[in-house]
Amino acid sequence: MNEADFNVEEMMVATMDAVKDTDPEIYELIKQEERRQRDKIRLIASENYVSAAVLQATGSVLTNKYSEGYPGRRYYEGQQVIDQVEALAVERAMELFGAEHVNVQPYSGSPANLAVYLAFLSPGDVILGMALPHGGHLTHGAPVSISGKYFRAQSYTLNRETGLIDYQQILEKARQYRPKIIIAGHSAYPRIIDFEQFRRIADEVGALFMVDMAHFAGLVAGGAHPSPLPWADVVTTTTHKSLRGPRGAIIMCRREYAAAIDKAVFPGLQGGPHNNTTAAMAVAFKEAATPEFADYARQIVNNSRALAEVLAKRDFQLITGGSDNHLLLIDLTNKEITGKTAAKALDRAGIVVNYNAVPFDTRKPGNPSGIRVGTAALTSRGFKEREMFQVGEWINAVVAEPENERLIEEIAADVASFCRDFPPPGIDC
Ligand SMILES: *Cc1c(COP(=O)(O)O)cnc(C)c1O
């Protein structure tokens, strides 16, 4: 090939040829993971399939640029392009969520939450969030997390009978502990959150109200879950879960907190933003603003309800009795199998879930009583209610006979051939 034939555009299409040449070992592993994602039923509630466009932006030359600071206020030169990329991402996020201010630089959900604490708290200040074993996130004050070590973290639990958020308990704890920040948001709660009630509680005790919508941001973007933006002072979210963008996070806040948040992210917590990720976020926000994405969000919830229906029929105990969002939390105690044993057997059958504590779990976190499943990824590959019924029957069959390896092998083969009719976005192998 001579120089004149050299087509830059072709080169930039994200083929893996260069990886294959340079590093066959990693190439082979990427291909294996691609096949795993293609051939398995992925029910991990935090995962998804990004579009080819998001994938390509993530793998672009924007990864080569350093740009500490913010558009128009950088510490390095050469920001003619990057400033526009970040400004676009910010503008689209503001539009998508109706936010007054957005910071798109957090490397991921955990640092985004830390940045909020850095902006408003001093070490030893009190925060109040959902307890980890009840569905809260590590960064909401779990004892093993920096959020539990540097701050005096108090936590609220779910109602023992209903599995629902107990707003009266939150109010009482808020009165007792006078937190500076009250956090709503979760990684394993299958219902909609009443943000207005949280707002009232925060106002009563003079706390800041923060929502971490990492899990359900895609539903909010698509109009399938109420938005916390009208109620919260600060909203954080990852961009890679139901929102279907690259791995990263954003912080949204009221105008009055904009300077404090920006200063906390940079220079408070981070150095240079990952510009390739910022670009991929911009692409994802554009995708999330379409009518197709609203359909997608609605279908996620419909799929979750369909899965709940079939599992309930098979006598699975669903925490709260069902789902209003993208996830189900299932207590397997009555099935006489632990979460871990079930998750391992399901994985061998090509159905990927995670074991999960259920509220007031009497078992240890390393082998708890439940599993968590989510429908965001399957919905991205076109699964609808009918397919969810089939998935539910497979789950039931595996959980009933987790040691029947012949059955499990059969199901794994059926799963792989079933999946072939639903090619996931971003994967063409
Ligand atoms: C996933 C998640 C996070 C953390 O995201 P990472 O990107 O894994 O750091 C934070 N909060 C909640 C509620 C989450 O579910």
Side-chain angles (χ1 to χ4, degrees):
M1 189 169 72
N2 65 37
E3 292 257 328
D5 293 337
F6 192 73
N7 185 330
V8 175
E9 283 209 15
E10 247 176 50
M11 191 194 77
M12 286 179 63
V13 172
T15 70
M16 288 280 155
D17 291 356
V19 181
K20 192 176 180 180
D21 285 348
T22 306
D23 191 337
E25 269 176 292
I26 284 294
Y27 174 79
E28 187 42 46
L29 290 171
I30 292 171
K31 283 291 152 188
Q32 275 180 33
E33 174 62 11
E34 225 170 55
R35 288 193 288 273
R36 192 193 67 83
Q37 293 187 14
R38 185 195 59 188
D39 295 343
K40 306 272 164 116
I41 284 180
R42 297 174 59 228
L43 282 166
I44 292 186
S46 49
E47 294 181 2
N48 213 329
Y49 296 94
V50 297
S51 68
V54 167
L55 215 48
Q56 287 178 8
T58 305
S60 69
V61 296
L62 302 191
T63 196
N64 295 337
K65 184 72 194 112
Y66 240 103
S67 46
E68 288 185 346
Y70 292 98
R73 298 174 280 142
R74 304 282 193 187
Y75 290 82
Y76 301 119
E77 296 314 312
Q79 310 294 351
Q80 294 83 354
V81 178
I82 297 301
D83 274 6
Q84 296 180 65
V85 169
E86 186 168 335
L88 251 185
V90 167
E91 190 186 304
R92 287 178 183 167
M94 285 173 76
E95 178 88 7
L96 183 64
F97 291 110
E100 290 180 12
H101 179 76
V102 182
N103 187 305
V104 297
Q105 295 193 2
Y107 300 144
S108 216
S110 306
N113 289 348
L114 268 190
V116 176
Y117 304 152
L118 181 63
F120 300 112
L121 302 175
S122 300
D125 280 349
V126 179
I127 59 174
L128 176 62
M130 188 185 269
L132 182 69
H134 288 247
H137 190 257
L138 281 165
T139 55
H140 298 179
V144 295
S145 148
I146 186 171
S147 63
K149 288 183 190 293
Y150 285 18
F151 306 107
R152 267 186 289 163
Q154 300 294 340
S155 58
Y156 55 87
T157 57
L158 299 171
N159 179 287
R160 195 181 274 274
E161 273 71 50
T162 61
L164 296 170
I165 291 177
D166 182 346
Y167 295 94
Q168 186 58 33
Q169 184 204 115
I170 298 170
L171 175 62
E172 283 160 18
K173 291 202 160 158
R175 281 180 180 151
Q176 182 181 353
Y177 298 114
R178 314 299 294 187
K180 276 213 171 145
I181 298 183
I182 297 177
I183 306 150
H186 60 78
S187 309
Y189 183 67
R191 297 293 181 179
I192 277 167
I193 302 172
D194 188 341
F195 300 118
E196 188 176 359
Q197 292 224 48
F198 268 101
R199 175 78 264 171
R200 283 215 202 97
I201 296 167
D203 283 343
E204 189 184 313
V205 300
L208 217 68
F209 176 35
M210 164 181 175
V211 176
D212 175 355
M213 63 171 184
H215 258 261
F216 52 91
L219 303 182
V220 171
H225 187 292
S227 171
L229 269 294
W231 306 105
D233 297 298
V234 185
V235 177
T236 62
T237 182
T238 54
T239 47
H240 50 270
K241 297 181 182 176
S242 57
L243 191 51
R244 215 162 65 182
R247 294 198 87 102
I250 62 175
I251 303 174
M252 296 175 271
C253 64
R254 297 189 192 282
R255 214 170 277 111
E256 60 187 299
Y257 302 123
I261 289 292
D262 286 353
K263 226 175 80 185
V265 173
F266 174 86
L269 189 67
Q270 299 188 166
H274 296 176
N275 299 309
N276 54 322
T277 300
T278 308
M281 276 183 193
V283 174
F285 299 150
K286 184 172 181 177
E287 291 174 348
T290 59
E292 292 73 31
F293 195 90
D295 293 343
Y296 166 66
R298 212 167 319 126
Q299 190 63 50
I300 290 177
V301 178
N302 290 343
N303 283 353
S304 188
R305 291 193 170 135
L307 189 55
E309 191 187 315
V310 59
L311 290 175
K313 238 186 252 159
R314 298 296 181 198
D315 199 30
F316 281 82
Q317 301 295 308
L318 309 177
I319 302 299
T320 77
S323 173
D324 296 326
N325 58 19
H326 64 300
L327 71 83
L328 305 177
L329 188 57
I330 306 166
D331 184 347
L332 294 171
T333 306
N334 68 323
K335 298 282 184 185
E336 294 179 353
I337 184 173
T338 69
K340 194 170 184 173
T341 306
K344 299 254 176 229
L346 285 165
D347 192 49
R348 291 199 300 282
I351 299 168
V352 191
V353 307
N354 66 278
Y355 55 85
N356 213 98
V358 298
F360 304 99
D361 208 326
T362 50
R363 301 186 55 87
K364 297 242 159 66
N367 189 4
S369 300
I371 54 172
R372 182 189 67 162
V373 298
T375 55
L378 290 184
T379 308
S380 289
R381 64 189 299 175
F383 278 44
K384 294 211 162 70
E385 288 87 337
R386 231 172 57 132
E387 287 75 34
M388 298 317 296
F389 291 139
Q390 177 61 66
V391 171
E393 294 299 349
W394 277 324
I395 292 175
N396 181 47
V398 173
V399 166
E401 294 185 69
E403 278 157 25
N404 185 344
E405 292 306 326
R406 240 194 57 202
L407 171 79
I408 285 175
E409 244 171 66
E410 263 172 47
I411 292 178
D414 288 349
V415 163
S417 85
F418 191 85
C419 282
R420 231 152 274 152
D421 291 336
F422 299 90
I427 297 179
D428 44 26
C429 58

PDB file of all heavy atoms in Angstrom, residues 46 107-111 113 135-140 185-188 212-215 236 238 240-241 247-249 372, ligand 1:
ATOM      1  N   SER A  46     -26.006  -3.938  36.895  1.00  0.00           N
ATOM      2  CA  SER A  46     -25.215  -2.729  36.640  1.00  0.00           C
ATOM      3  C   SER A  46     -24.605  -2.722  35.243  1.00  0.00           C
ATOM      4  O   SER A  46     -23.945  -1.760  34.867  1.00  0.00           O
ATOM      5  CB  SER A  46     -24.106  -2.626  37.686  1.00  0.00           C
ATOM      6  OG  SER A  46     -23.418  -3.855  37.777  1.00  0.00           O
ATOM      7  N   TYR A 107     -14.083  10.152  37.104  1.00  0.00           N
ATOM      8  CA  TYR A 107     -13.599   8.934  36.450  1.00  0.00           C
ATOM      9  C   TYR A 107     -14.591   7.787  36.554  1.00  0.00           C
ATOM     10  O   TYR A 107     -14.610   6.896  35.722  1.00  0.00           O
ATOM     11  CB  TYR A 107     -12.266   8.491  37.072  1.00  0.00           C
ATOM     12  CG  TYR A 107     -11.151   9.502  36.951  1.00  0.00           C
ATOM     13  CD1 TYR A 107     -10.225   9.666  37.976  1.00  0.00           C
ATOM     14  CD2 TYR A 107     -11.020  10.289  35.807  1.00  0.00           C
ATOM     15  CE1 TYR A 107      -9.199  10.579  37.872  1.00  0.00           C
ATOM     16  CE2 TYR A 107      -9.994  11.211  35.701  1.00  0.00           C
ATOM     17  CZ  TYR A 107      -9.088  11.358  36.732  1.00  0.00           C
ATOM     18  OH  TYR A 107      -8.067  12.262  36.640  1.00  0.00           O
ATOM     19  N   SER A 108     -15.378   7.790  37.621  1.00  0.00           N
ATOM     20  CA  SER A 108     -16.377   6.743  37.789  1.00  0.00           C
ATOM     21  C   SER A 108     -17.306   7.142  38.926  1.00  0.00           C
ATOM     22  O   SER A 108     -17.148   8.229  39.504  1.00  0.00           O
ATOM     23  CB  SER A 108     -15.688   5.400  38.075  1.00  0.00           C
ATOM     24  OG  SER A 108     -16.408   4.347  37.466  1.00  0.00           O
ATOM     25  N   GLY A 109     -18.245   6.265  39.239  1.00  0.00           N
ATOM     26  CA  GLY A 109     -19.249   6.608  40.240  1.00  0.00           C
ATOM     27  C   GLY A 109     -18.663   6.850  41.629  1.00  0.00           C
ATOM     28  O   GLY A 109     -19.069   7.785  42.331  1.00  0.00           O
ATOM     29  N   SER A 110     -17.714   6.024  42.026  1.00  0.00           N
ATOM     30  CA  SER A 110     -17.146   6.174  43.366  1.00  0.00           C
ATOM     31  C   SER A 110     -16.433   7.508  43.541  1.00  0.00           C
ATOM     32  O   SER A 110     -16.703   8.229  44.508  1.00  0.00           O
ATOM     33  CB  SER A 110     -16.219   5.002  43.687  1.00  0.00           C
ATOM     34  OG  SER A 110     -16.904   3.782  43.510  1.00  0.00           O
ATOM     35  N   PRO A 111     -15.518   7.875  42.653  1.00  0.00           N
ATOM     36  CA  PRO A 111     -14.905   9.206  42.782  1.00  0.00           C
ATOM     37  C   PRO A 111     -15.905  10.358  42.647  1.00  0.00           C
ATOM     38  O   PRO A 111     -15.706  11.411  43.265  1.00  0.00           O
ATOM     39  CB  PRO A 111     -13.844   9.265  41.678  1.00  0.00           C
ATOM     40  CG  PRO A 111     -13.966   8.023  40.893  1.00  0.00           C
ATOM     41  CD  PRO A 111     -14.820   7.060  41.637  1.00  0.00           C
ATOM     42  N   ASN A 113     -18.921  10.410  43.888  1.00  0.00           N
ATOM     43  CA  ASN A 113     -19.500  10.576  45.223  1.00  0.00           C
ATOM     44  C   ASN A 113     -18.491  11.188  46.186  1.00  0.00           C
ATOM     45  O   ASN A 113     -18.835  12.067  46.990  1.00  0.00           O
ATOM     46  CB  ASN A 113     -20.011   9.229  45.746  1.00  0.00           C
ATOM     47  CG  ASN A 113     -21.256   8.783  45.001  1.00  0.00           C
ATOM     48  OD1 ASN A 113     -21.863   9.572  44.266  1.00  0.00           O
ATOM     49  ND2 ASN A 113     -21.629   7.530  45.162  1.00  0.00           N
ATOM     50  N   GLY A 135     -29.005  -2.432  50.190  1.00  0.00           N
ATOM     51  CA  GLY A 135     -29.026  -1.962  48.812  1.00  0.00           C
ATOM     52  C   GLY A 135     -28.269  -0.674  48.575  1.00  0.00           C
ATOM     53  O   GLY A 135     -28.162  -0.212  47.449  1.00  0.00           O
ATOM     54  N   GLY A 136     -27.754  -0.067  49.658  1.00  0.00           N
ATOM     55  CA  GLY A 136     -26.939   1.137  49.476  1.00  0.00           C
ATOM     56  C   GLY A 136     -25.606   0.791  48.823  1.00  0.00           C
ATOM     57  O   GLY A 136     -25.236  -0.377  48.713  1.00  0.00           O
ATOM     58  N   HIS A 137     -24.872   1.818  48.375  1.00  0.00           N
ATOM     59  CA  HIS A 137     -23.570   1.575  47.760  1.00  0.00           C
ATOM     60  C   HIS A 137     -22.465   1.753  48.794  1.00  0.00           C
ATOM     61  O   HIS A 137     -22.634   2.470  49.778  1.00  0.00           O
ATOM     62  CB  HIS A 137     -23.348   2.546  46.589  1.00  0.00           C
ATOM     63  CG  HIS A 137     -22.144   2.188  45.762  1.00  0.00           C
ATOM     64  ND1 HIS A 137     -20.945   2.860  45.863  1.00  0.00           N
ATOM     65  CD2 HIS A 137     -21.960   1.218  44.834  1.00  0.00           C
ATOM     66  CE1 HIS A 137     -20.078   2.317  45.018  1.00  0.00           C
ATOM     67  NE2 HIS A 137     -20.663   1.340  44.379  1.00  0.00           N
ATOM     68  N   LEU A 138     -21.340   1.098  48.554  1.00  0.00           N
ATOM     69  CA  LEU A 138     -20.158   1.248  49.419  1.00  0.00           C
ATOM     70  C   LEU A 138     -19.892   2.706  49.770  1.00  0.00           C
ATOM     71  O   LEU A 138     -19.615   3.045  50.920  1.00  0.00           O
ATOM     72  CB  LEU A 138     -18.922   0.700  48.680  1.00  0.00           C
ATOM     73  CG  LEU A 138     -18.726  -0.807  48.639  1.00  0.00           C
ATOM     74  CD1 LEU A 138     -17.700  -1.160  47.569  1.00  0.00           C
ATOM     75  CD2 LEU A 138     -18.277  -1.310  50.003  1.00  0.00           C
ATOM     76  N   THR A 139     -19.985   3.553  48.756  1.00  0.00           N
ATOM     77  CA  THR A 139     -19.633   4.968  48.937  1.00  0.00           C
ATOM     78  C   THR A 139     -20.710   5.770  49.655  1.00  0.00           C
ATOM     79  O   THR A 139     -20.581   6.989  49.794  1.00  0.00           O
ATOM     80  CB  THR A 139     -19.369   5.631  47.569  1.00  0.00           C
ATOM     81  OG1 THR A 139     -20.516   5.421  46.737  1.00  0.00           O
ATOM     82  CG2 THR A 139     -18.148   5.051  46.897  1.00  0.00           C
ATOM     83  N   HIS A 140     -21.756   5.116  50.133  1.00  0.00           N
ATOM     84  CA  HIS A 140     -22.778   5.821  50.897  1.00  0.00           C
ATOM     85  C   HIS A 140     -22.524   5.709  52.400  1.00  0.00           C
ATOM     86  O   HIS A 140     -23.419   5.918  53.197  1.00  0.00           O
ATOM     87  CB  HIS A 140     -24.181   5.282  50.565  1.00  0.00           C
ATOM     88  CG  HIS A 140     -24.561   5.483  49.126  1.00  0.00           C
ATOM     89  ND1 HIS A 140     -25.753   5.058  48.594  1.00  0.00           N
ATOM     90  CD2 HIS A 140     -23.902   6.075  48.094  1.00  0.00           C
ATOM     91  CE1 HIS A 140     -25.814   5.362  47.299  1.00  0.00           C
ATOM     92  NE2 HIS A 140     -24.694   5.975  46.974  1.00  0.00           N
ATOM     93  N   GLY A 185     -30.544   6.642  46.864  1.00  0.00           N
ATOM     94  CA  GLY A 185     -29.942   5.941  45.732  1.00  0.00           C
ATOM     95  C   GLY A 185     -29.453   4.591  46.203  1.00  0.00           C
ATOM     96  O   GLY A 185     -29.286   4.382  47.399  1.00  0.00           O
ATOM     97  N   HIS A 186     -29.246   3.678  45.279  1.00  0.00           N
ATOM     98  CA  HIS A 186     -29.047   2.280  45.654  1.00  0.00           C
ATOM     99  C   HIS A 186     -28.418   1.510  44.517  1.00  0.00           C
ATOM    100  O   HIS A 186     -28.316   2.002  43.391  1.00  0.00           O
ATOM    101  CB  HIS A 186     -30.410   1.664  45.952  1.00  0.00           C
ATOM    102  CG  HIS A 186     -31.315   1.741  44.750  1.00  0.00           C
ATOM    103  ND1 HIS A 186     -31.195   0.883  43.684  1.00  0.00           N
ATOM    104  CD2 HIS A 186     -32.293   2.615  44.416  1.00  0.00           C
ATOM    105  CE1 HIS A 186     -32.081   1.217  42.766  1.00  0.00           C
ATOM    106  NE2 HIS A 186     -32.752   2.267  43.180  1.00  0.00           N
ATOM    107  N   SER A 187     -28.055   0.272  44.845  1.00  0.00           N
ATOM    108  CA  SER A 187     -27.588  -0.653  43.808  1.00  0.00           C
ATOM    109  C   SER A 187     -28.463  -1.890  43.738  1.00  0.00           C
ATOM    110  O   SER A 187     -28.184  -2.796  42.950  1.00  0.00           O
ATOM    111  CB  SER A 187     -26.151  -1.093  44.107  1.00  0.00           C
ATOM    112  OG  SER A 187     -25.328   0.025  44.347  1.00  0.00           O
ATOM    113  N   ALA A 188     -29.488  -1.963  44.587  1.00  0.00           N
ATOM    114  CA  ALA A 188     -30.250  -3.219  44.631  1.00  0.00           C
ATOM    115  C   ALA A 188     -31.684  -3.035  45.122  1.00  0.00           C
ATOM    116  O   ALA A 188     -32.253  -3.951  45.691  1.00  0.00           O
ATOM    117  CB  ALA A 188     -29.527  -4.221  45.529  1.00  0.00           C
ATOM    118  N   ASP A 212     -27.887   9.557  44.308  1.00  0.00           N
ATOM    119  CA  ASP A 212     -26.953   8.791  43.481  1.00  0.00           C
ATOM    120  C   ASP A 212     -27.805   7.868  42.609  1.00  0.00           C
ATOM    121  O   ASP A 212     -28.270   6.827  43.061  1.00  0.00           O
ATOM    122  CB  ASP A 212     -26.012   8.003  44.395  1.00  0.00           C
ATOM    123  CG  ASP A 212     -25.079   7.081  43.619  1.00  0.00           C
ATOM    124  OD1 ASP A 212     -25.219   6.985  42.388  1.00  0.00           O
ATOM    125  OD2 ASP A 212     -24.210   6.455  44.264  1.00  0.00           O
ATOM    126  N   MET A 213     -28.026   8.287  41.363  1.00  0.00           N
ATOM    127  CA  MET A 213     -28.931   7.503  40.498  1.00  0.00           C
ATOM    128  C   MET A 213     -28.161   6.612  39.524  1.00  0.00           C
ATOM    129  O   MET A 213     -28.634   6.305  38.427  1.00  0.00           O
ATOM    130  CB  MET A 213     -29.911   8.421  39.759  1.00  0.00           C
ATOM    131  CG  MET A 213     -29.315   9.412  38.807  1.00  0.00           C
ATOM    132  SD  MET A 213     -30.657  10.210  37.862  1.00  0.00           S
ATOM    133  CE  MET A 213     -29.721  11.231  36.736  1.00  0.00           C
ATOM    134  N   ALA A 214     -26.982   6.155  39.963  1.00  0.00           N
ATOM    135  CA  ALA A 214     -26.127   5.325  39.106  1.00  0.00           C
ATOM    136  C   ALA A 214     -26.912   4.213  38.407  1.00  0.00           C
ATOM    137  O   ALA A 214     -26.747   4.002  37.202  1.00  0.00           O
ATOM    138  CB  ALA A 214     -24.993   4.726  39.930  1.00  0.00           C
ATOM    139  N   HIS A 215     -27.737   3.523  39.164  1.00  0.00           N
ATOM    140  CA  HIS A 215     -28.408   2.361  38.576  1.00  0.00           C
ATOM    141  C   HIS A 215     -29.529   2.740  37.617  1.00  0.00           C
ATOM    142  O   HIS A 215     -29.682   2.134  36.571  1.00  0.00           O
ATOM    143  CB  HIS A 215     -28.934   1.432  39.671  1.00  0.00           C
ATOM    144  CG  HIS A 215     -28.053   0.249  39.868  1.00  0.00           C
ATOM    145  ND1 HIS A 215     -28.312  -0.971  39.317  1.00  0.00           N
ATOM    146  CD2 HIS A 215     -26.873   0.131  40.516  1.00  0.00           C
ATOM    147  CE1 HIS A 215     -27.341  -1.809  39.623  1.00  0.00           C
ATOM    148  NE2 HIS A 215     -26.453  -1.167  40.362  1.00  0.00           N
ATOM    149  N   THR A 236     -25.582  12.521  41.490  1.00  0.00           N
ATOM    150  CA  THR A 236     -24.458  11.872  40.825  1.00  0.00           C
ATOM    151  C   THR A 236     -24.994  10.670  40.058  1.00  0.00           C
ATOM    152  O   THR A 236     -26.019  10.092  40.418  1.00  0.00           O
ATOM    153  CB  THR A 236     -23.403  11.362  41.827  1.00  0.00           C
ATOM    154  OG1 THR A 236     -23.999  10.376  42.684  1.00  0.00           O
ATOM    155  CG2 THR A 236     -22.844  12.492  42.666  1.00  0.00           C
ATOM    156  N   THR A 238     -23.312   7.206  37.541  1.00  0.00           N
ATOM    157  CA  THR A 238     -22.415   6.602  36.574  1.00  0.00           C
ATOM    158  C   THR A 238     -23.071   6.746  35.206  1.00  0.00           C
ATOM    159  O   THR A 238     -24.285   6.940  35.102  1.00  0.00           O
ATOM    160  CB  THR A 238     -22.211   5.100  36.853  1.00  0.00           C
ATOM    161  OG1 THR A 238     -23.488   4.477  36.927  1.00  0.00           O
ATOM    162  CG2 THR A 238     -21.475   4.871  38.165  1.00  0.00           C
ATOM    163  N   HIS A 240     -22.411   4.310  32.807  1.00  0.00           N
ATOM    164  CA  HIS A 240     -22.252   3.021  32.110  1.00  0.00           C
ATOM    165  C   HIS A 240     -23.272   1.959  32.493  1.00  0.00           C
ATOM    166  O   HIS A 240     -23.167   0.834  32.048  1.00  0.00           O
ATOM    167  CB  HIS A 240     -20.844   2.473  32.335  1.00  0.00           C
ATOM    168  CG  HIS A 240     -20.410   2.457  33.773  1.00  0.00           C
ATOM    169  ND1 HIS A 240     -19.761   3.522  34.350  1.00  0.00           N
ATOM    170  CD2 HIS A 240     -20.540   1.543  34.744  1.00  0.00           C
ATOM    171  CE1 HIS A 240     -19.500   3.240  35.622  1.00  0.00           C
ATOM    172  NE2 HIS A 240     -19.970   2.042  35.889  1.00  0.00           N
ATOM    173  N   LYS A 241     -24.248   2.294  33.334  1.00  0.00           N
ATOM    174  CA  LYS A 241     -25.206   1.254  33.727  1.00  0.00           C
ATOM    175  C   LYS A 241     -26.434   1.366  32.806  1.00  0.00           C
ATOM    176  O   LYS A 241     -26.270   1.239  31.599  1.00  0.00           O
ATOM    177  CB  LYS A 241     -25.497   1.377  35.216  1.00  0.00           C
ATOM    178  CG  LYS A 241     -24.209   1.129  36.036  1.00  0.00           C
ATOM    179  CD  LYS A 241     -24.393   1.210  37.532  1.00  0.00           C
ATOM    180  CE  LYS A 241     -23.054   1.007  38.233  1.00  0.00           C
ATOM    181  NZ  LYS A 241     -23.143   1.174  39.693  1.00  0.00           N
ATOM    182  N   ARG A 247     -17.735   3.912  30.642  1.00  0.00           N
ATOM    183  CA  ARG A 247     -17.493   3.890  32.090  1.00  0.00           C
ATOM    184  C   ARG A 247     -17.049   5.268  32.526  1.00  0.00           C
ATOM    185  O   ARG A 247     -16.030   5.786  32.068  1.00  0.00           O
ATOM    186  CB  ARG A 247     -16.421   2.872  32.434  1.00  0.00           C
ATOM    187  CG  ARG A 247     -16.865   1.465  32.154  1.00  0.00           C
ATOM    188  CD  ARG A 247     -16.007   0.488  32.879  1.00  0.00           C
ATOM    189  NE  ARG A 247     -16.510   0.268  34.205  1.00  0.00           N
ATOM    190  CZ  ARG A 247     -17.205  -0.822  34.544  1.00  0.00           C
ATOM    191  NH1 ARG A 247     -17.486  -1.734  33.642  1.00  0.00           N
ATOM    192  NH2 ARG A 247     -17.612  -0.992  35.785  1.00  0.00           N
ATOM    193  N   GLY A 248     -17.835   5.850  33.436  1.00  0.00           N
ATOM    194  CA  GLY A 248     -17.535   7.186  33.913  1.00  0.00           C
ATOM    195  C   GLY A 248     -18.684   7.656  34.764  1.00  0.00           C
ATOM    196  O   GLY A 248     -19.587   6.877  35.084  1.00  0.00           O
ATOM    197  N   ALA A 249     -18.660   8.919  35.140  1.00  0.00           N
ATOM    198  CA  ALA A 249     -19.752   9.446  35.959  1.00  0.00           C
ATOM    199  C   ALA A 249     -19.878  10.942  35.743  1.00  0.00           C
ATOM    200  O   ALA A 249     -18.949  11.596  35.242  1.00  0.00           O
ATOM    201  CB  ALA A 249     -19.514   9.148  37.439  1.00  0.00           C
ATOM    202  N   ARG A 372     -29.377 -10.983  42.619  1.00  0.00           N
ATOM    203  CA  ARG A 372     -29.919  -9.767  42.023  1.00  0.00           C
ATOM    204  C   ARG A 372     -29.880  -9.935  40.514  1.00  0.00           C
ATOM    205  O   ARG A 372     -28.877 -10.425  39.978  1.00  0.00           O
ATOM    206  CB  ARG A 372     -29.049  -8.573  42.450  1.00  0.00           C
ATOM    207  CG  ARG A 372     -29.524  -7.230  41.940  1.00  0.00           C
ATOM    208  CD  ARG A 372     -28.489  -6.137  42.223  1.00  0.00           C
ATOM    209  NE  ARG A 372     -27.264  -6.344  41.429  1.00  0.00           N
ATOM    210  CZ  ARG A 372     -26.356  -5.395  41.205  1.00  0.00           C
ATOM    211  NH1 ARG A 372     -26.506  -4.190  41.732  1.00  0.00           N
ATOM    212  NH2 ARG A 372     -25.286  -5.644  40.483  1.00  0.00           N
TER     213      ARG A 372
HETATM  214  C1  LIG B   1     -22.214   1.395  40.613  1.00  0.00           C
HETATM  215  C2  LIG B   1     -22.509   2.390  41.644  1.00  0.00           C
HETATM  216  C3  LIG B   1     -21.559   3.354  42.032  1.00  0.00           C
HETATM  217  C4  LIG B   1     -20.100   3.276  41.700  1.00  0.00           C
HETATM  218  O1  LIG B   1     -19.735   3.226  40.465  1.00  0.00           O
HETATM  219  P1  LIG B   1     -18.250   2.791  40.017  1.00  0.00           P
HETATM  220  O2  LIG B   1     -18.226   3.367  38.676  1.00  0.00           O
HETATM  221  O3  LIG B   1     -18.237   1.309  40.080  1.00  0.00           O
HETATM  222  O4  LIG B   1     -17.284   3.418  40.946  1.00  0.00           O
HETATM  223  C5  LIG B   1     -21.956   4.348  42.894  1.00  0.00           C
HETATM  224  N1  LIG B   1     -23.198   4.392  43.392  1.00  0.00           N
HETATM  225  C6  LIG B   1     -24.119   3.460  43.078  1.00  0.00           C
HETATM  226  C7  LIG B   1     -25.473   3.565  43.684  1.00  0.00           C
HETATM  227  C8  LIG B   1     -23.802   2.423  42.213  1.00  0.00           C
HETATM  228  O5  LIG B   1     -24.711   1.492  41.940  1.00  0.00           O
END
